[in-house]
Amino acid sequence: MVEELADKRLVVVTGKGGVGKSTLAAALAMQSAREGLRTLVCEVNAKERISQLLGRPEVGPEVTALDENLWAVNVRPQEAMREYALMMLKFESIYSAVFENRVVRYFLRFIPSLQELVLLGKILFHLREKRPDGRWRFDRIIIDAPATGHAITFFSVPQVIVDTVPPGAMSTDATWMRDLLVDPKTTGVVLVSLPEELPVNETLELHAALASRVKMQSALVVLNGFIAPRFTPADVPETLPEGLKQTARHHMARSDLSAACLERLQTLGLKVVTVPRMFTPEFGRQAVEQVAARLGAAK
Amino acid sequence: MKNPIRAALESCDVLITVGSGGVGKTTVAAALALRAAMEGQGSLVCTIDPARRLANALGLQALGNAETQISTGTFAQAGLAPRAPMYAMMLDMKRTWDELIERRAPPDKREKILNNRFYQSLSSALAGSQEYVAMEKLWELRTQRDYPLIVLDTPPTAHALDFLDAPNRILDFLDNDASKWLLTPAMAAGKFGLKLFNLGGSYVAKTIARFTGTETLQQLADFMLNISGMNEGFRERAHQTRALLEAETTGFVLVTGPMPERLDEAIYFHTLLQQNKMKVAAIVVNRVHGPVPDALWGEVARLPPSTQAKFDQTLKENDHLARQDARGVAKLREACGTTPLVLVPRFDLDVHDLNGLYETSRWLWGDRQLELAAQGH
């Protein structure tokens, strides 16, 4: 595991949509499992991708084993709400009587952020589960978190509830969750970006917003799709055919942009791992392996 | 066949760009508005969160909710001379919500609502509330101004349904049987809390209160009571907004990238739009890699060994991307039936100025057309 994450029990992978969060979450999970840590990778109310990336059937809302030491789950609001309610009410019959009541369901929908709270609650609950011999059920949990804007809302929820909801079970749980998320000894955030203007802007903003609004510290930045310099001006003499000149200039423009983006990300003062742009036919297990290897090399 | 974007600009006075985040929705929205103005149709582009440089190019620095005309000087610098004015604005979500309350709420309720915690979380956190307020703004612009064309850029949605559902959700919030049952007698009695805590012989309420604390329920009750005077207005507006979305003169432009992980979302979104009786004017596939011209392979073969490998590798990579994109476009075409596709190529750099927008519009408008690579390999 990358040094910056080696001691974290909770790893949160986030960034703009389409930057390769799921692939990175899968690679980190695979690496963690191979190091012998019992690892759970969670997707949050999303179209499930991680099982598919690892070449396994869909796992759905039940924690399911994918590989040795590796489990996955896709946390969805309805099931999470039920589990959360059952945990507090203890009895299925009361759950049905109360939570399947039309009026109650209506109110639950509009209790601010209750949905996010139960999703996050379910994930963090797995962090304190123990096996009969007293060891952790999961040594490490990796969250494939929602994209930027939604991530800030999502991880702010415990704090929002602590601030707004008067004392009660919900508020007690929220305090516990908030403390876990902001504890840098437990939690490390991985910001994923792409070498383009907008994704980099978002990464910089996300880093600032997480630190100021959520008090979560980023541990590592991963720049996916990095294009390393290949051509020098000497490769493009005047005599070169126009089409090839364009090919080289196009590549140079892209690699310059990659370098500029890397430089901007480095201003955060965090380690930035670059993952080269891949030209593999499908973004499946092979891609995950390549990313994992790259992370391993970045130790 | 007639270019679908031209056809859409002729028959629609509202275009809404939709799609997942990071596909270039804002660029496409701005390019559509620019092209309309160039062709003589005055336009307004209403964007949510444009890239800084694009915002600068449009003269949008820190203008919040105000509509701003792009000056002829700005256009002249880019060598462009539109035949009709173009306006741009950045939508400030929180401010639009606050304005909505200020306009609609009874004067004695305004402060109470604006300061209520539930309002604050409704206006910033409730899923779909951003989408709702974008619709609300669209309605206001459509009915109170006379732009020949409005292009609305929608917030990047985590879930396509958030967007389409937004007016329904607000209606649901207000129109629900449960809320009526709770509110109506309470309003008649002038006292709301009592009814709530009598509900289900207070057993149910007690159980909910175990989760939320009693005060939370009381605050929610207060909020509901305070906004209940606005229900009728909200309900009417939500119905009108829905009607506007379904109107013949409203067209959706679905924007996507050609990568496999984007396509599934685009196809899903397309299905939803059609199920909801929304007119999809076109699907714009943005940042498509065009084919590697055949001649280049021969030219590479004649290069000196010192540089041949570099060029060869680059062409192979470009070829791989072009074929992958061609497969993606074919898949989309198959899945989306008769909805026309418009392809925009991948440019060397992000589009961030008026020239870049105009260049984008040339592909949208059909001045230029992208060929696709063969799919094999």
Side-chain angles (χ1 to χ4, degrees), chain A residues 17-18 45 88 99 104 106-107 109-110 112 164-166 169-170 197-198 230-231 235 241 244 250 277, chain B residues 53 117-118 121 159 172-173 176 179 182 204 210-212 215-216 220 262 310 313-314 317 321 348 350:
Chain A
N45 195 22
M88 298 190 63
F99 282 80
V104 174
Y106 171 78
F107 271 98
R109 278 184 58 193
F110 295 107
T164 57
V165 174
M170 197 170 150
E197 187 199 354
L198 270 176
R230 178 177 293 161
F231 294 99
D235 297 328
L244 291 183
H250 175 87
R277 169 100 203 217
Chain B
R53 285 193 292 171
R117 289 163 178 174
F118 283 90
S121 102
H159 303 283
D172 202 25
F173 181 61
N176 189 289
S179 90
L182 286 166
V204 171
R210 278 171 71 182
F211 286 80
T212 63
E215 283 175 55
T216 310
L220 179 61
R262 283 280 169 256
K310 285 184 189 179
Q313 190 186 348
T314 310
E317 289 170 0
L321 295 174
D348 277 359
D350 286 348

Side-chain angles (χ1 to χ4, degrees), chain B residues 198-221:
Chain B
N198 282 337
L199 136 176
S202 95
Y203 162 68
V204 171
K206 265 192 208 151
T207 313
I208 307 182
R210 278 171 71 182
F211 286 80
T212 63
T214 323
E215 283 175 55
T216 310
L217 283 186
Q218 189 60 56
Q219 284 174 5
L220 179 61

